[in-house]
Amino acid sequence: MRKRGSRPIIMPVHRRRKGREKSNMYSKGTKRKFFDGVDNKAVAASYSLQRQSLLDMSLLKLQLCHMLAEPNLCRSVLIANTVRQIQEEMTHDGSWQVVTEALGGSGHGPSDSLVDTEVLCQSPEQQDGGPKLYSVMGYDGCREEEVVTDKALCSVVVGDRAPALLLGTIGHCWDRGELRVEDGVSKDSGTGDEEETRSGEGAKMATGQVFGMFEIKNGAPGSDPALEELFSDVDASYYDLDTMLTGMQSAPKMGPYDFLDSLASSHGPVSNSSCRADLNELDHIMEIIVGS
Amino acid sequence: ADIISTVEFNYSGELLATGDKGGRVVIFQREQESKNRPHSRGEYNVYSTFQSHEPEFDYLKSLEIEEKINKIRWLPQQNAAHSLLSTNDKTIKLWKISQRDKRAEGYNLKDEDGRLRDPFRVTSLRVPVLLPMDLMVEASPRRIFANAHTYHINSISVNSDHETYLSADDLRVNLWHLEITDRSFNIVDIKPANMEELTEVITAAECHPHQCNVFVYSSSKGTIRLCDMRAAALCDRQSKFFEEPEDPSSRSFFSEIISSISDVKFSHSGRYMMTRDYLSVKVWDLNMENRPVETYQVHEYLRSKLCSLYENDCIFDKFECCWNGSDSAIMTGSYNNFFRMFDRNTRRDITLEASRENSKPRAILKARKVSTGGKRKKDEISVDSLDFNKKILHTAWHPKENVIAVAATNNLYIFQDKIN
């Protein structure tokens, strides 16, 4: 039995910056549609920075909450909605496209910020050059790198679009073999045309897989994709607690053995002959074995 | 002592139940006012302690089920015994608390120590007599309502018909009959066919205090739905939908999170309901759906700190709220062991602290203030000095008198009105 002690809660101390009240501006979240002038650019850049930081924080939270014994669904939904919101806004003002373009060429800058979360997921030997510090987003001087998060799950090409990387990152962390991350991650560099729509989908997949986890967690624990393929024709709904409960609620008297009994009894007059034939055959075999 | 997770007075206010993280329930009873000390109001002393829920392991999902008591609700008293419902994440239990202060002595067929007497030894008959004994309070589980919730139960509410009650988890609301444990009716189901489309969960639910066909449930998006059980078996389509339009000037990435409703409570009159979101308490008139009639800011000074509060997870804290007996005042908790009371008539509010260091027993509580501006006055506390570990999530108000119970982490404080 694990007792969870209370976590010390730390209020991060904000360094007082003269002039601009950063946290205020950030919490207000005024949407910027249009940049003009140098000043606005600086403001916009810091807003983007903070927005990215919030995105990273949210993704990290989503990953961590999966590691808990019983994730809090309400919290996960709220964080996922926040992530979705950020990604939508980033798509709207084009930063998402900038990110994906940059990555498409030689993405390194934005992947830096995403490396934070990625690094947490990888085992030490897989880390490429150690954890990188969070850096200001710079979209120049990027390079492609292939990141293998888990050979059983997927291989993510960083040269690919950012959401795919997100997926790879998230998927690796909380997949206990149940989620099919391969579906959402594209292995080829892909078509630039579909980038925007795919990024939306990617975000959806990323957040969706949070709740996919809640659904399919009932499945056989510790399975890996190889086994999944093997048993792909097995009806997974049996393991769905939901179905079982619905069944329980509507027909409380039926237990698992009752079900079998009812099956057996329903077959009564029809298969009697076949059963008898089987039994006779069995007797015959037994006789041979026993040698009587 | 464990962290208190729920506090609830019974219908008369004579008993106060608390549930904690370790699955225990502790019931306090108010002392009868004695003639010897007419000016001392009844104090609450421990009446009964029992282990309601034990930690369990769900083998199908390979997950621990916490024994923490999420909610306690008293049932109306029907005989000498008291009954309450207590629930953890998955299972609801009906406990009967009965007391004995007399025992019978002088049985004919049994000895004093319980052994059967030899029938041949019985030469005369006697009538057993009742003799006083030390008060013994025993709690026994009378019903166990299990296996009806896939997700975590966040609310239970006893219906005004005193026969049924509802239980709500993140995605469903079930209706139970108090006598029937092996099945329940599902009356609300907001689970999407594809879990990837999930964007909203149920956060609280409550039965109307007088109309047994009406209940409400609140959501993580800041909406409340009122449903009438007469309309359909599955109340997925609400009768009333309460939502305040968002203020576009204060929109941020945290808007949705802080709008998530953590508690919903009907007024005793049944005409209003109160909702608690992260920064405010709102009173709604059931006849007006488009906005609340009253809004009270609990700790508006936290609005500029939302990013930090998101980082340390405090933004997800679920504060409860409560009405006083006459619906003229409401109370809710905050951080730093502060709790706030609002008088609906005079519009006055007060911030008080539940702390042993800062107030002696029987001393009048001093009003506290959080300084929001640059200059901090004497006796004020600045926002950055607030202790976010000390949060008051659970409070309760006596149904008839001005007695309140405040749970501060693992301590329970009971405050009473000053006697003139």
Side-chain angles (χ1 to χ4, degrees):
Chain A
M1 175 171 63
R2 206 171 358 127
K3 286 262 182 216
R4 259 171 250 123
S6 55
R7 265 191 349 246
I9 296 181
I10 305 147
M11 273 296 277
V13 177
H14 286 250
R15 271 185 317 187
R16 292 263 233 81
R17 281 179 220 272
K18 291 207 172 140
R20 215 171 295 135
E21 182 62 72
K22 281 212 166 187
S23 55
N24 256 341
M25 177 190 76
Y26 184 34
S27 63
K28 282 237 169 135
T30 45
K31 289 193 183 186
R32 216 151 285 97
K33 300 234 163 48
F34 190 114
F35 311 135
D36 50 16
V38 180
D39 277 343
N40 273 344
K41 259 198 184 152
V43 164
S46 82
Y47 172 77
S48 300
L49 198 74
Q50 290 174 354
R51 183 174 60 185
Q52 185 63 43
S53 154
L54 180 64
L55 179 64
D56 293 342
M57 204 197 309
S58 306
L59 291 171
L60 181 61
K61 281 183 188 297
L62 283 177
Q63 288 165 358
L64 286 177
C65 83
H66 177 85
M67 295 176 192
L68 291 176
E70 279 252 61
N72 184 335
L73 186 61
C74 181
R75 185 171 168 269
S76 306
V77 168
L78 290 173
I79 298 173
N81 288 351
T82 310
V83 167
R84 215 176 271 130
Q85 236 185 315
I86 296 173
Q87 286 171 336
E88 270 171 23
E89 194 183 277
M90 283 174 92
T91 314
H92 271 135
D93 55 331
S95 355
W96 203 249
Q97 208 172 12
V98 177
V99 166
T100 54
E101 273 171 16
L103 286 177
S106 45
H108 186 66
S111 68
D112 259 353
S113 53
L114 295 168
V115 158
D116 275 349
T117 49
E118 187 192 7
V119 151
L120 285 165
C121 301
Q122 284 176 348
S123 54
E125 50 270 17
Q126 282 176 326
Q127 275 176 24
D128 188 17
K132 299 176 181 61
L133 289 173
Y134 176 76
S135 58
V136 179
M137 286 213 290
Y139 298 142
D140 40 291
C142 314
R143 59 175 175 84
E144 245 184 65
E145 53 185 340
E146 187 171 85
V147 174
V148 179
T149 52
D150 185 305
K151 59 182 193 287
L153 290 174
C154 62
S155 66
V156 182
V157 177
V158 168
D160 212 309
R161 47 204 64 101
L165 176 62
L166 280 175
L167 276 181
T169 313
I170 301 166
H172 169 79
C173 280
W174 52 35
D175 193 341
R176 291 191 196 173
E178 294 145 15
L179 303 172
R180 295 193 176 275
V181 183
E182 310 90 81
D183 294 343
V185 175
S186 52
K187 299 199 167 85
D188 51 320
S189 302
T191 54
D193 301 333
E194 303 169 357
E195 263 172 19
E196 274 200 311
T197 46
R198 287 297 286 272
S199 71
E201 258 178 53
K204 192 177 169 194
M205 284 291 288
T207 52
Q209 276 164 359
V210 180
F211 312 117
M213 175 264 287
F214 285 100
E215 258 294 74
I216 337 172
K217 220 168 163 49
N218 306 336
S223 59
D224 60 11
L227 275 179
E228 289 269 290
E229 268 183 316
L230 212 56
F231 297 109
S232 56
D233 56 341
V234 170
D235 182 21
S237 71
Y238 177 77
Y239 295 107
D240 186 7
L241 192 60
D242 246 6
T243 320
M244 280 178 70
L245 285 176
T246 325
M248 242 191 256
Q249 282 179 10
S250 52
K253 299 189 188 83
M254 281 256 276
Y257 300 108
D258 298 11
F259 180 68
L260 291 171
D261 284 347
S262 67
L263 270 185
S265 57
S266 67
H267 278 230
V270 180
S271 57
N272 251 350
S273 47
S274 60
C275 281
R276 224 179 286 132
D278 287 343
L279 284 172
N280 287 340
E281 199 180 43
L282 199 60
D283 279 347
H284 182 62
I285 295 168
M286 282 305 296
E287 279 172 11
I288 296 169
I289 294 169
V290 170
S292 59
Chain B
D2 231 329
I3 296 174
I4 299 171
S5 50
T6 182
V7 185
E8 187 81 358
F9 279 100
N10 75 337
Y11 284 76
S12 63
E14 183 209 351
L15 298 176
L16 174 67
T18 62
D20 67 22
K21 203 160 154 259
R24 276 191 330 159
V25 171
V26 180
I27 301 178
F28 299 84
Q29 186 188 40
R30 200 176 197 190
E31 262 178 30
Q32 301 303 319
E33 289 176 28
S34 64
K35 293 193 179 67
N36 306 336
R37 305 190 301 172
H39 294 295
S40 115
R41 293 261 205 94
E43 289 187 354
Y44 283 85
N45 299 315
V46 178
Y47 176 65
S48 169
T49 305
F50 57 93
Q51 186 74 31
S52 170
H53 286 73
E54 298 276 0
E56 283 169 46
F57 195 76
D58 181 340
Y59 294 98
L60 205 59
K61 291 193 199 177
S62 295
L63 287 175
E64 258 181 45
I65 299 172
E66 269 194 316
E67 66 274 30
K68 174 169 75 92
I69 308 290
N70 291 336
K71 282 283 174 346
I72 288 176
R73 290 288 181 262
W74 288 93
L75 294 173
Q77 197 177 3
Q78 283 166 339
N79 48 37
H82 299 274
S83 303
L84 58 78
L85 290 171
S86 77
T87 184
N88 68 348
D89 284 338
K90 298 285 183 182
T91 306
I92 306 146
K93 294 188 185 180
L94 194 158
W95 287 88
K96 187 173 99 163
I97 300 107
S98 47
Q99 65 179 47
R100 273 200 294 170
D101 58 356
K102 292 181 182 47
R103 63 187 165 91
E105 251 185 38
Y107 286 101
N108 290 294
L109 297 176
K110 279 194 300 194
D111 267 343
E112 297 315 323
D113 47 2
R115 280 185 308 177
L116 289 174
R117 286 171 81 190
D118 191 359
F120 296 108
R121 297 274 190 83
V122 179
T123 51
S124 62
L125 286 178
R126 54 186 177 169
V127 178
V129 290
L130 288 176
L131 296 176
M133 61 179 253
D134 288 338
L135 180 70
M136 190 174 74
V137 181
E138 50 184 8
S140 57
R142 304 301 284 207
R143 308 264 186 280
I144 297 182
F145 305 91
N147 299 326
H149 285 280
T150 316
Y151 304 96
H152 292 184
I153 297 175
N154 52 50
S155 315
I156 47 175
S157 179
V158 182
N159 210 345
S160 53
D161 60 9
H162 300 169
E163 281 186 354
T164 56
Y165 75 94
L166 65 72
S167 61
D169 65 25
D170 292 319
L171 297 177
R172 298 192 175 100
V173 180
N174 291 337
L175 184 72
W176 301 83
H177 192 284
L178 285 166
E179 300 290 323
I180 299 170
T181 59
D182 62 353
R183 74 193 93 121
S184 68
F185 287 106
N186 175 241
I187 52 178
V188 174
D189 189 341
I190 64 166
K191 183 173 167 223
N194 184 1
M195 276 294 268
E196 292 177 15
E197 290 162 9
L198 180 67
T199 55
E200 193 175 7
V201 297
I202 296 172
T203 51
E206 199 182 39
C207 290
H208 192 277
H210 309 306
Q211 296 168 31
C212 58
N213 52 296
V214 172
F215 68 96
V216 292
Y217 67 94
S218 60
S219 82
S220 57
K221 285 200 171 164
T223 65
I224 309 104
R225 289 169 175 81
L226 185 145
C227 301
D228 188 333
M229 288 191 266
R230 298 170 301 186
L234 191 61
C235 302
D236 273 355
R237 279 176 56 199
Q238 67 271 0
S239 304
K240 293 195 189 203
F241 183 76
F242 298 83
E243 185 179 30
E244 183 171 27
E246 199 185 0
D247 176 12
S249 66
S250 65
R251 173 140 183 76
S252 74
F253 287 120
F254 306 108
S255 294
E256 187 184 312
I257 299 179
I258 61 169
S259 75
S260 171
I261 292 173
S262 51
D263 194 16
V264 64
K265 291 262 168 52
F266 277 106
S267 65
H268 292 95
S269 63
R271 181 153 167 223
Y272 299 96
M273 69 176 173
M274 167 168 57
T275 57
R276 174 74 155 98
D277 51 72
Y278 190 62
L279 295 178
S280 66
V281 180
K282 295 178 181 169
V283 176
W284 302 77
D285 184 325
L286 292 186
N287 298 317
M288 187 161 78
E289 298 168 54
N290 57 358
R291 60 179 169 82
V293 289
E294 294 153 32
T295 303
Y296 301 94
Q297 301 302 335
V298 181
H299 36 219
E300 182 68 12
Y301 45 80
L302 294 182
R303 195 180 283 273
S304 55
K305 309 277 176 190
L306 290 178
C307 190
S308 313
L309 293 165
Y310 180 71
E311 198 173 349
N312 61 23
D313 270 358
C314 282
I315 207 173
F316 300 106
D317 286 335
K318 292 188 190 293
F319 291 94
E320 291 173 11
C321 53
C322 59
W323 298 85
N324 71 341
S326 59
D327 297 337
S328 63
I330 57 182
M331 172 169 64
T332 188
S334 177
Y335 293 105
N336 208 68
N337 279 349
F338 286 171
F339 58 99
R340 303 259 284 140
M341 285 203 249
F342 303 93
D343 186 319
R344 292 177 65 211
N345 301 323
T346 64
R347 291 305 174 125
R348 281 198 334 224
D349 63 89
I350 190 167
T351 305
L352 298 169
E353 185 178 0
S355 133
R356 263 190 289 226
E357 293 88 40
N358 292 340
S359 54
K360 299 197 195 72
R362 300 196 182 283
I364 297 173
L365 288 176
K366 204 173 53 167
R368 304 305 307 264
K369 193 151 159 51
V370 178
S371 72
T372 47
K375 218 113 174 36
R376 186 174 76 87
K377 297 198 194 93
K378 185 171 104 81
D379 275 356
E380 281 186 4
I381 183 167
S382 74
V383 183
D384 294 312
S385 320
L386 293 174
D387 188 342
F388 288 85
N389 270 320
K390 295 184 184 169
K391 49 191 95 169
I392 291 182
L393 304 172
H394 312 285
T395 57
W397 207 312
H398 190 288
K400 298 183 177 65
E401 299 180 29
N402 277 343
V403 178
I404 58 173
V406 173
T409 319
N410 50 3
N411 292 319
L412 180 72
Y413 292 81
I414 299 178
F415 299 108
Q416 296 184 11
D417 231 359
K418 185 174 79 118
I419 308 153
N420 294 332

